[in-house]
C-alpha cells in the first residue's frame, strides 16, 4: 500500500479469504459447504489491514481481515481428513495470515486450531492457491464440521484517487467475490462487509446487495456450483491511519546482569493516498480533523509491564513528543513522529526499552530460553519486512529457535562492550508482519553464569597491569647510557637530596634538644631544682657534640658535591645560625642557672636574659624558615 | 645514643611520608579537578540531551562521520558536493583537521576495544574530556611559573571558568574545544623548555604546536606571542642558552610541521602572521653570536668588534627589512587575512567585510560580558600580575605577556575571550595562592604565639603587664578563633607543623619579625574568610553559567510556562522532514547560518553554508531573499534550487530569525549586486516590517515567505518578536508553494513552482522586453545565467 499500484490492478488489491470445506482426499464432490458466511470487517479496517473471517470471516484493511464461517458436510462415503480452502493468486500473495478453527457436530463445542499447509491438488486451476486444513480426525459421512477461518490480507485496500489534497478525505477501493470461491458446491452463502462509517462512494449493485448503516451485505445466495465467482467492488471513505513500516529491525539483547534490552528501528510511511499540492500548517492547525483528516500524527505501542528506560529518538536526536502511561498490566507508549504523516510521507525513528530479565528468560532442563513476542508492539501497523535479532550473551551455546510460523533464520556475531569472541546473534526475518503475528517465540541456549564475570575480571586485570606498569616504570632506571653526564648528574642530585634530608633530620633533633633545655629552665623556675637542670645541660651538651660529629661527614660531602651549589649557601647559613643560637641558648641557660644559684629575684633574671631571649627567638624563627626552605627544594 | 638515632630516622621517615602524602594529595586533587571540569559541562546533556550544538559543530560532526566511515585518505581527498552548490568544497584542504582526527581516533580506539559508542556520542563528549586535559595543562604551566599551590589553584579555576565553558559544554563540538588545551599545553612545554633547557621538551613543544596548528586558526597567537616573549627576554638581558633551545627548534620544526597541514600549507612561510617569528629567529641568532664572541674576546677587543658588527648588521637589517616591506606591500591585503586584520584594526571588518561583521561573535565585547565570562577573576588579575613581578622570572614574565596580549585581543572580538580565559585563570590562581600563602603563614605564626601565650601564662608569672593586658583583650577573640582556625588550615601538613611549633617555640614578647611578612591574626582570618566567600561566589556563578546560560543546544529551545516545560523542536522537525520527504539530490536554499545543519541533519545539498568562503555566492542568496518573488524565483531556479527554507520566529517570539537577520542579507547582497540598496528597505533609517515599512521590504521574498498566511493565525498578524502587526497581511504566492511548516512555525519550507508552459513567441517577447527595460542591472542580477 505504500506505493499504490497502478489503478488497473485493482483486482490484485482485493483481499479475500475463503474457507472451503472439502471432504476426502480425492472426491472433492463428496464435500458440500452447507453454509458459508464471510464477514469482511472494515471496522477492523481501522487500519489498512483486511481481516476476513469466514465462518468464514474476513477482516480487512490496507490490512483487511476476513472471517469465514463455514459449515461443511461430508456427503460422500469415505471419511475426509482435510478441507481445502482456495484463493485467487492475486489475493493469496497479499495473504499475511490464515488460521482455521474447526468444530465438529451441529452444536457449538470445543473448537480446535487446525494446522494449515499450502497444497496444489492435481487438476486444480493454476490461478488459484489452495490451502488445506488438516482435521484432527477424519470427518465421517453425513457429519458436519464448523470451520472458522481467519485470514488477514495486506495491501488490499487501494486508495482511489491515488493523490488527494490536504483537505480531502481518503477514498479506498475493496474488491472481493460476492460468491464464495470454493472447490466444493456451496448450498448457502453470504458476504458481509463492515465499513468504517462515513461516505460510501459506490458499490457493485446486485439484487442481493443491501447497504444498512455501514454494513454491506451480499446474499444469501443458494446452491452455487464449485468455483463460482462474482466480483464486487466497494469504494468508500477510510481515513484510518495507513501506517506501513517498510522495515523494522528489532534487536533483543539479553544481559544476564538482569536486563533484556529491546531496540526497535522503524521506517514508517503513510501508505494511503499521496498528498498533492501544498501542506498548509495553518489549515492543519485550525481544523485538524477536516484539513488533514487522512493524516495521522501518533502511534500507540503497548509495551510489556515493567518496561523501563524507555527512549524514543531518531538519528538526529531525541524526539520530545511522546507520552507514557504504565500500570501493572501494561506500559502504553504514545509516540508522535516529528511531523504528522500525510500520504506518501515517511519518517524513521528508534524506540528502545529495557525489560526485567526474569519476566522473559526462563530456565528448564539445563537450558535457558527466551520467551518473547515476535512482532512489534505498535498497534495496527503493517510491517513489510521485520528482522528480529536476538543477541545472546557472550559464551552462549547450543542455540535453537522455535517460532510459531516459518521465518528465515540465520546466525551472526555481534561485538559489543569489551567482547572478545563476540555475542551470538539469532536473526529471524519475516515479510508482511501484522499484529496477528504478535505471538511468543522461544530461543533456547546454554549459558554459564561464570562467563558473566569475564568482563569485570578483564577490566580489573587491565587496570592492575596498568598500575603495575606504572610502578615498574617509576622504580626502574630506564636511562640508556649509564655514563652520560646528565645521568650522573641525576644520580648525584639524588644523593645530595638524601644528604640534605639527613641534615634536616639532625637539625630537627638539635631543635628538640633546645626544647629540652627550655623545658629544664621552666622546671627550674617552678621547682628551683638546680641539680636536675645542670644534668639536663650536661646531657644536652653531649647530644650536641654527638650531633655535630654526625653532621661533619655529611657537610663535607655536600660541600664537595657539584650539584649542591644551590643548596650549599643555605645550609651554610643554617649551620652558622644554629651555632649562634646554640651559643646564646647555652649562655642564657648558664645565666639563669647562675642567677638561681645566686638566688636572684625572678624579675632580675627576666631582665638579665630578656635581650638574649629576643635574639634566640629571632634566630629560632630564621632557622626554622631555612629548614622549611630547604625541605621545599 | 640509640634514642636520638631512632628519632632521627623517624623524622626522616616523617619528612618522606609528608612529601609522598603531598604528592598523592595533589594528584588526587588534580584528578578531582579533572572530574569537575568534565562534569560541570554535562548540564547540557542532563537538561537537554546528548546532541551536537549550534551550527559549526554540526559540520565538524559530519566531517567526523565521514572520516570514521571512509578512513583518513578518503578524508584528505574529500570533495564535498553537498554544499556550495554548484561549486562544492574541498573539505580535506580547507578544514583544520585536529578536532576531527582527535574524535575520529578516540572513536576508532573505543571501537577496536569493542566499546560500541556512536560517533555522535564521542563527538558530544570530546569537549568536556579536553577541558579536563586543559585544566591539567594549566596546572603544569602554572607550576612551572609559581609552584604547585598556584598550579592547583589555577587548574581549579580554569576547570570552571564560564568563558571556556561556553565553548566546551558537552555537545559543543568545535575547534576551540581541543585548541585551548593545545594552546595551554604548548605554552607549558615552551616554559618548561625555557626552565630546563632540555631539547626533549623543545621537540615535544614543536609537536604540540603542530597539534595546535591542526586544530585552530588561533595558532597564529602562539607563533606571535612566543617570539614576543623571546624578544622581551633578549631586551631585558635575560638571554641564555635555554632561551635559544626553547625557541629555535620551535620555529624550524614548528614551521615545517605546520606546512604539513593542508589548510595552512605555504601560508606558514608566506603570510605576515608568521613573519614576526622569523624576524625574532634572526635576532636570536645574532644575539647568540654576540654572546659567543663576547666569551672569546677580551673586553677591549669585544668593544671594537661590537661597533664593527653593529654597523654592518644594521646595514644588512635595513636591506632585509626593505625587502620584507616591499614583499608585504605588494600583496593587496598586505599579506594579512581579513580576520587577522580586523584583530589589528577593530574597525576593519565593519568597513570592508560585512560578512565578518555580521557574525555576532566577531563583535567587540561589552563590559558585562567580561563580568559574565571571567567574573571575579577580573579583580584578581592585577594581584596576579604583581606577584608575577615578585620575583620576575622567565616563566612569570611570559604569563604577564600572555595576559596583556590576550586582554587586547579579547577587546577586539568576543570570541577571543576564550584565549583570555586561561591567562586570567593562571594569574588569578597565582594571586590567590600567594594571598592564601601569606595569610596562612601569618595565621600560623600568630596562632602558635597565641597557643604559646596560653600555655606559658601559668608558669611564667612574671609576664610584663603590658603583655597580659593585650592578652586579655585578645582572649575573647581567641576562643572563637581556636574553633574556626583549624578549619581554615589548608592541609594537615601545616597543622602538624604548627603543633610542633606551638610546643617548641618559647615565650617571645617581641612583635617584630625580621624577614617574614606577618599580618595580624584578625586580619588574616578575615582575609581568608573573604577569599573563601569570593571563591564561593565564583563557583556559584560558574555553576549558574554552566547550567543556565551556556547549556542550551540552540537547536532545541525550551520555555518554562505555567503548564510546565515547553519544548520547541522545530528545527529538527524541519530537517527530519527534508531528509525523509524530499529527493536525495534536491537543493535547498536558505541563509548561510543554516547551511551546516541542513547538510548534516537533512543530508541535502545547500547553496551556501557557515564556511562563508565565497562572498559572491552568499550575496546571490542574499539578493534572492531581498528581491521580489519573480526575480528571486529566477535566481533560485538558475541555481537548481528546489526548496527554500526560512526561519521565522514571529509566532512564538524567537528573536534570532531571518527577519531580524534580513538587513545583513541586504547589505551583503548589495555589496556585490548594487541594485539591492539598503535604504530601500529602511523607513527613515529604521528597519521595520509593519504598516510603515517600505514597499520594497513588503514585497521582498523574505517577507513573503515568512508571513505567508500568517495573518490567519490570529486574524491580525501580530508579530511577537517585533511587537507589532505586520504591514502587508493578505497576499498570495505566485512562484512558490508552501510544502512544510513546523509546529511552531519556526521553520517554513517552500517549493519553487515548476515553470508554466508558455507559447514560444510570447516567451521571446517577454525576454527581450525584460532585457531592454532593465539594462545594466539585469546583467548583474543573476550571475548564474
Amino acid at each position: 500500500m505504500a506505493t499504490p499500484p497502478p489503478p488497473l490492478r485493482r483486482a490484485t488489491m482485493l483481499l479475500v479469504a475463503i474457507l472451503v470445506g472439502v471432504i476426502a482426499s480425492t472426491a472433492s464432490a463428496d464435500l458440500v459447504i452447507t453454509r458459508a458466511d464471510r464477514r469482511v470487517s472494515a471496522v477492523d479496517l481501522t487500519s489498512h489491514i483486511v481481516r476476513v473471517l469466514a465462518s468464514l470471516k474476513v477482516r480487512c484493511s490496507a490490512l483487511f481481515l476476513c472471517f469465514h464461517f463455514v459449515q461443511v458436510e461430508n456427503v460422500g462415503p469415505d471419511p475426509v481428513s482435510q478441507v481445502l480452502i482456495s484463493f485467487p493468486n492475486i489475493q493469496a500473495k497479499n495473504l499475511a495470515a490464515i488460521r482455521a478453527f474447526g468444530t465438529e457436530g451441529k452444536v457449538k463445542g470445543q473448537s480446535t486450531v487446525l494446522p494449515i499447509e499450502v497444497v496444489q491438488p492435481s487438476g486444480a486451476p493454476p490461478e488459484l492457491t489452495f490451502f488445506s486444513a488438516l482435521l484432527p480426525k477424519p470427518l465421517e459421512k453425513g457429519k458436519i464440521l464448523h470451520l472458522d477461518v481467519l485470514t488477514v490480507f495486506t495491501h488490499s485496500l487501494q486508495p482511489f484517487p491515488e493523490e488527494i489534497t490536504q483537505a480531502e478525505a481518503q477514498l479506498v477501493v475493496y474488491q472481493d467475490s460476492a460468491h464464495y470461491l470454493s472447490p466444493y458446491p456451496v448450498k448457502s452463502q453470504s458476504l458481509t462487509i463492515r465499513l468504517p462509517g462515513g461516505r460510501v462512494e459506490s458499490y457493485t449493485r446486485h439484487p442481493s446487495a443491501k447497504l444498512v448503516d455501514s454494513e454491506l451485505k451480499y446474499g444469501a445466495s443458494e446452491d452455487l456450483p464449485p468455483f463460482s465467482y462474482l466480483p464486487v467492488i466497494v469504494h468508500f471513505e477510510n481515513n484510518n491511519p495507513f501506517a506501513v513500516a517498510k522495515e523494522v529491525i528489532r534487536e533483543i539483547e539479553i544481559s544476564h546482569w538482569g536486563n533484556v534490552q529491546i531496540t526497535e528501528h522503524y521506517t514508517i510511511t503513510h501508505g494511503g493516498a499521496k498528498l498533492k499540492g501544498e501542506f498548509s500548517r495553518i489549515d492543519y492547525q485550525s481544523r485538524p480533523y477536516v484539513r488533514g483528516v487522512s493524516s495521522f500524527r501518533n502511534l500507540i505501542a503497548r509495551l510489556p509491564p515493567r518496561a523501563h528506560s524507555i527512549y524514543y529518538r531518531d538519528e538526529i536526536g531525541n524526539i520530545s513528543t511522546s507520552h507514557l502511561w504504565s500500570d501493572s498490566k501494561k506500559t502504553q507508549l504514545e509516540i508522535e513522529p516529528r511531523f504528522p504523516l500525510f500520504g506518501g510521507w515517511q519518517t524513521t525513528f528508534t524506540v528502545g526499552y529495557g525489560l526485567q530479565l526474569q519476566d522473559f528468560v526462563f530456565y528448564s532442563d539445563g537450558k535457558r530460553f527466551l520467551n518473547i513476542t515476535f512482532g512489534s508492539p505498535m498497534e495496527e501497523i503493517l510491517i513489510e519486512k521485520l528482522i528480529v535479532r536476538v543477541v545472546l550473551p557472550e559464551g552462549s551455546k547450543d542455540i535453537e529457535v522455535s517460532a510459531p510460523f516459518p521465518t528465515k533464520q540465520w546466525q551472526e556475531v555481534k561485538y559489543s562492550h569489551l567482547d572478545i569472541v563476540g555475542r551470538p546473534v539469532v536473526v529471524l526475518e519475516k515479510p508482511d508482519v501484522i499484529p496477528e503475528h504478535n505471538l511468543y517465540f522461544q530461543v533456547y541456549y546454554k549459558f554459564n553464569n561464570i562467563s558473566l564475570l569475564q568482563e569485570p575480571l578483564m577490566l580489573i586485570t587491565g587496570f592492575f597491569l596498568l598500575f603495575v606498569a606504572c610502578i615498574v616504570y617509576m622504580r626502574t632506571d630506564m636511562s640508556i647510557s649509564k655514563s652520560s653526564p646528565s645521568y650522573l648528574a641525576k644520580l648525584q642530585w639524588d644523593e645530595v637530596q638524601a644528604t640534605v634530608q639527613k641534615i634536616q633530620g639532625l637539625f630537627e633533633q638539635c631543635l628538640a634538644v633546645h626544647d629540652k633545655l627550655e623545658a629544664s629552665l621552666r622546671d627550674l623556675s617552678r621547682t628551683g631544682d638546680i641539680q636536675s637542670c645542670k644534668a639536663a645541660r650536661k646531657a644536652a651538651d653531649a647530644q650536641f657534640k654527638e650531633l655535630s660529629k654526625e653532621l661533619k661527614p655529611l657537610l663535607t660531602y655536600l660541600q664537595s658535591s657539584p650539584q649542591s651549589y644551590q643548596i650549599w649557601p643555605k645550609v651554610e647559613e643554617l649551620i652558622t645560625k644554629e651555632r649562634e643560637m646554640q651559643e646564646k641558648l647555652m649562655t642564657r641557660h648558664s645565666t639563669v642557672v647562675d642567677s638561681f644559684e645566686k638566688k636572684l629575684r625572678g624579675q632580675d633574671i627576666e631582665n638579665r636574659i630578656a635581650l638574649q631571649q629576643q635574639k634566640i627567638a629571632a634566630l629560632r624563627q630564621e632557622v626554622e624558615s631555612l629548614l622549611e626552605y630547604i625541605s621545599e627544594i | 645514643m640509640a634514642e636520638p638515632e631512632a628519632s632521627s630516622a623517624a623524622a626522616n621517615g616523617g619528612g618522606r611520608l609528608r612529601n609522598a602524602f603531598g604528592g598523592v594529595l595533589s594528584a588526587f586533587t588534580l584528578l578531582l579537578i579533572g572530574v569537575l571540569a568534565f562534569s560541570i559541562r554535562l548540564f547540557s546533556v542532563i537538561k537537554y540531551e546528548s546532541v551536537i550544538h549550534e551550527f559549526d559543530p554540526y559540520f565538524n560532526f559530519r566531517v567526523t562521520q565521514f572520516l570514521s566511515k571512509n578512513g583518513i585518505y578518503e578524508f584528505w581527498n574529500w570533495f564535498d558536493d553537498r554544499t556550495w552548490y554548484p561549486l562544492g568544497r574541498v573539505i580535506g584542504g580547507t578544514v583544520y583537521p585536529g578536532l576531527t582526527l582527535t574524535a575520529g581516533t578516540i572513536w576508532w580506539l573505543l571501537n577496536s576495544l569493542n566499546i560500541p559508542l556512536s560517533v555522535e556520542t564521542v563527538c558530544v563528549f570530546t569537549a568536556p574530556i579536553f577541558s579536563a586535559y586543559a585544566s591539567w595543562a594549566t596546572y603544569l604551566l602554572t607550576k612551572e611559573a609559581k609552584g604547585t599551590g598556584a598550579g592547583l589553584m589555577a587548574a581549579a579555576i580554569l576547570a570552571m571558568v564560564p568563558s571556556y565553558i561556553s565553548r566546551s559544554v558537552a555537545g559543543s563540538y568545535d575547534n576551540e574545544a581541543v585548541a585551548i588545551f593545545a594552546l595551554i599545553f604548548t605554552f607549558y612545554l615552551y616554559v618548561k623548555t625555557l626552565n630546563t633547557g632540555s631539547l626533549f621538551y623543545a621537540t615535544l613543544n614543536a609537536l604540540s604546536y603542530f597539534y595546535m596548528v591542526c586544530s585552530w586558526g588561533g595558532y597564529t597567537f602562539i607563533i606571535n606571542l612566543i617570539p614576543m616573549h623571546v624578544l622581551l627576554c633578549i631586551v631585558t638581558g635575560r638571554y641564555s642558552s635555554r632561551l635559544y633551545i626553547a625557541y629555535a627548534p620551535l620555529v624550524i620544526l614548528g614551521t615545517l610541521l605546520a606546512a604539513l597541514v593542508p589548510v595552512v600549507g605555504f601560508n606558514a612561510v608566506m603570510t605576515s602572521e608568521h613573519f614576526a617569528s622569523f624576524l625574532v629567529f634572526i635576532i636570536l641568532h645574532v644575539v647568540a653570536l654576540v654572546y659567543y664572541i663576547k666569551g672569546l674576546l677580551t673586553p677591549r677587543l669585544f668593544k671594537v668588534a661590537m661597533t664593527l658588527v653593529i654597523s654592518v648588521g644594521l646595514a644588512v637589517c635595513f636591506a632585509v627589512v626593505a625587502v620584507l616591506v616591499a614583499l608585504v606591500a605588494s600583496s593587496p591585503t598586505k599579506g594579512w587575512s581579513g580576520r587577522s586584520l580586523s584583530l589589528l584594526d577593530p574597525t576593519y571588518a565593519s568597513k570592508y567585510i560585512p560578512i565578518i561583521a555580521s557574525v555576532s561573535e566577531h563583535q567587540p565585547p561589552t563590559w558585562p560580558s567580561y563580568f559574565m565570562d571571567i567574573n571575579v577573576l577580573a579583580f584578581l588579575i592585577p594581584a596576579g600580575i604583581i606577584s608575577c613581578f615578585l620575583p620576575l622570572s622567565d616563566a612569570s614574565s611570559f604569563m604577564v605577556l600572555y595576559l596583556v596580549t590576550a586582554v587586547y585581543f579579547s577587546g577586539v572580538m568576543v570570541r577571543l575571550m576564550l584565549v583570555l580565559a586561561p591567562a586570567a585563570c593562571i594569574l588569578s590562581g597565582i594571586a590567590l595562592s600567594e594571598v592564601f600563602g601569606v595569610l596562612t603563614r601569618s595565621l600560623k605564626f600568630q596562632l602558635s604565639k597565641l597557643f604559646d601565650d596560653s600555655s606559658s601564662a601559668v608558669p611564667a608569672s612574671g609576664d610584663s603587664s603590658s603583655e597580659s593586658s593585650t592578652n586579655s583583650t585578645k582572649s575573647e577573640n581567641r576562643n572563637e578563633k581556636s574553633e574556626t582556625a583549624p578549619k581554615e588550615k589548608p592541609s594537615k601538613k601545616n597543622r602538624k607543623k604548627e603543633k610542633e611549633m606551638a610546643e617548641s617555640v618559647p615565650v617571645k614578647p617581641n612583635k617584630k619579625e625580621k624577614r617574614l611578612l606577618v599580618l595580624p591574626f584578625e586580619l588574616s582570618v578575615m582575609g581568608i574568610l573573604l577569599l573563601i566567600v569570593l571563591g564561593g561566589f565564583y563557583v556559584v556563578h560558574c555553576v549558574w553559567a554552566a547550567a543556565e546560560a551556556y547549556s542550551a543546544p540552540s537547536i532545541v529551545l525550551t520555555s518554562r510556562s505555567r503548564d510546565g516545560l515547553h519544548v520547541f523542536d522545530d528545527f529538527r522537525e524541519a530537517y527530519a522532514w527534508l531528509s525523509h520527504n524530499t529527493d536525495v539530490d534536491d537543493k535547498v536554499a536558505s541563509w548561510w547560518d543554516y547551511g551546516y545543519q541542513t547538510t548534516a541533519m537533512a543530508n541535502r545539498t545547500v547553496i551556501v553554508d557557515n564556511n562563508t568562503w565565497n562572498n559572491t555566492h552568499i550575496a546571490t542568496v542574499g539578493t534572492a531573499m531581498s528581491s521580489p518573488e519573480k526575480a528571486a524565483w529566477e535566481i533560485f531556479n538558475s541555481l537548481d534550487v528546489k526548496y527554500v527554507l526560512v526561519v521565522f520566529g514571529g509566532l512564538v517570539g524567537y528573536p534570532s530569525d531571518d527577519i531580524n537577520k534580513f538587513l545583513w542579507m541586504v547589505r551583503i547582497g548589495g555589496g556585490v549586486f548594487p541594485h539591492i540598496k539598503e535604504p530601500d528597505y529602511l523607513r527613515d533609517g529604521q528597519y521595520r516590517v509593519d504598516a510603515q515599512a517600505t514597499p520594497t521590504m513588503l514585497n521582498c521574498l523574505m517577507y513573503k515567505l515568512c508571513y505567508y498566511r500568517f495573518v490567519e493565525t490570529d486574524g491580525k498578524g501580530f508579530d511577537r518578536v517585533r511587537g507589532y502587526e505586520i504591514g502587508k497581511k493578505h497576499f498570495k504566492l505566485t512562484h512558490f508553494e508552501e510544502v512544510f511548516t513546523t509546529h511552531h512555525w519556526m521553520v517554513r519550507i517552500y517549493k519553487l513552482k515548476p515553470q508554466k508552459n508558455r507559447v514560444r513567441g510570447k516567451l521571446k517577447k517577454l525576454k527581450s522586453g525584460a532585457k531592454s527595460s532593465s539594462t545594466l542591472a539585469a546583467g548583474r542580477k543573476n550571475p548564474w545565467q
Side-chain angles (χ1 to χ4, degrees), chain A residues 281 318 346 419 509 621, chain B residues 8 49 114 513 581 741 743:
Chain A
R281 178 65 75 167
N318 178 50
Q346 67 168 345
D419 286 346
Q509 280 179 48
Q621 206 152 80
Chain B
S8 91
E49 57 181 285
N114 279 333
E513 306 292 350
N581 298 302
T741 297
H743 188 245

Side-chain angles (χ1 to χ4, degrees), chain B residues 139-265:
Chain B
Y139 163 75
L140 292 173
L141 174 58
T142 320
K143 193 181 135 197
E144 282 305 311
K146 280 284 170 185
T148 316
L152 286 175
M153 203 73 219
I157 293 175
L158 183 104
M160 49 189 175
V161 65
S163 170
Y164 186 26
I165 286 181
S166 73
R167 289 296 174 148
S168 62
V169 291
S172 175
Y173 178 57
D174 211 346
N175 288 335
E176 288 93 331
V178 297
I180 291 302
F181 158 70
L183 181 88
I184 301 172
F185 198 64
T186 311
F187 286 157
Y188 157 66
L189 286 171
Y190 169 70
V191 172
K192 180 86 185 172
T193 323
L194 203 55
N195 282 348
T196 58
S198 147
L199 255 180
F200 172 70
Y201 284 113
T203 318
L204 280 190
N205 189 16
L207 287 176
S208 162
Y209 171 68
F210 174 55
Y211 184 65
M212 177 70 192
V213 176
C214 282
S215 311
W216 196 32
Y219 75 91
T220 46
F221 181 64
I222 295 183
I223 205 61
N224 283 301
L225 180 64
I226 290 182
M228 274 168 80
H229 180 244
V230 171
L231 206 59
L232 185 79
C233 284
I234 292 173
V235 168
T236 51
R238 290 172 158 271
Y239 170 80
S240 64
S241 59
R242 287 175 289 117
L243 185 70
Y244 184 86
I245 290 170
Y247 187 65
L250 173 68
V251 171
I252 300 296
L253 286 177
T255 306
L256 282 177
L257 288 170
L260 292 180
V261 182
V263 65
V264 177

Side-chain angles (χ1 to χ4, degrees), chain A residues 435-485:
Chain A
E436 269 67 16
H437 288 121
N438 238 343
L439 302 172
Y440 283 90
F441 75 104
Q442 291 81 32
V443 178
Y444 297 89
Y445 61 97
K446 279 188 177 154
F447 177 74
N448 192 342
N449 270 336
I450 297 291
S451 314
L452 275 183
L453 296 176
Q454 183 186 333
E455 276 155 17
L457 284 178
M458 207 166 77
L459 277 182
I460 290 168
T461 323
F463 276 98
F464 178 73
L465 288 180
L466 181 74
F467 288 131
V468 166
C470 280
I471 291 169
V472 168
Y473 175 77
M474 296 298 284
R475 300 275 156 166
T476 48
D477 190 353
M478 304 284 273
S479 57
I480 301 165
S481 154
K482 305 283 183 204
S483 59
S484 79

Side-chain angles (χ1 to χ4, degrees), chain A residues 556-603:
Chain A
T556 45
Y557 170 76
L558 203 61
Q559 202 168 7
S560 67
S561 169
Q563 288 288 315
S564 59
Y565 65 93
Q566 279 178 309
I567 308 173
W568 179 241
K570 291 283 168 192
V571 175
E572 239 175 0
E573 198 185 341
L574 183 66
I575 289 165
T576 49
K577 297 272 179 208
E578 206 272 340
R579 282 274 149 72
E580 205 179 327
M581 185 172 157
Q582 208 170 311
E583 269 166 35
K584 293 267 190 270
L585 205 63
M586 287 309 180
T587 47
R588 191 180 71 154
H589 198 266
S590 33
T591 335
V592 173
V593 172
D594 204 29
S595 14
F596 261 94
E597 275 174 343
K598 288 177 188 165
K599 309 262 177 247
L600 285 175
R601 281 174 51 227
Q603 195 67 43

Side-chain angles (χ1 to χ4, degrees), chain B residues 119 286 443 482 698:
Chain B
V119 179
V286 171
L443 197 66
S482 55
L698 295 182

Side-chain angles (χ1 to χ4, degrees), chain A residues 276-290:
Chain A
K276 168 175 77 177
E278 293 198 338
F279 162 67
S280 169
R281 178 65 75 167
I282 181 73
D283 287 341
Y284 183 72
Q285 271 173 346
S286 52
R287 291 169 296 252
Y289 294 104
V290 184

